[in-house]
Amino acid sequence: MNRQIFALQRMVRRSISSSSRRQVENNVPKNQKLFQEDNGIPVHLKGGPADALLYRTTMALTVLGTGYVVYELVSAAFPKKKD
């Protein structure tokens, strides 16, 4: 039993510590240049249309959620009268 566990540990360690099969291009300098550029665009929108869509979706959900919370608080504060 112990022999099988040790063999499994060796196999897992070997697969994790082995070098990657394909080399990945380093995009950090390119992204740093893009985000540090002074072009008047807020940093949370410099990623392009996907960032703009994510920002607008987040703002819409925030406004709708706030409105719903206010509605629920008002309806809880003024309960309907029973006849």
Side-chain angles (χ1 to χ4, degrees), residues 58-68:
T58 303
M59 286 297 110
L61 288 173
T62 302
V63 168
L64 291 173
T66 303
Y68 182 69

Side-chain angles (χ1 to χ4, degrees), residues 20-53:
S20 64
R21 294 184 184 140
R22 60 187 171 115
Q23 295 296 321
V24 179
E25 182 185 350
N26 187 6
N27 291 328
V28 173
K30 183 177 72 172
N31 288 337
Q32 283 178 338
K33 185 177 180 182
L34 172 72
F35 283 96
Q36 290 175 354
E37 187 175 295
D38 188 18
N39 55 4
I41 299 175
V43 71
H44 59 276
L45 297 176
K46 284 189 178 186
D51 279 354
L53 179 65

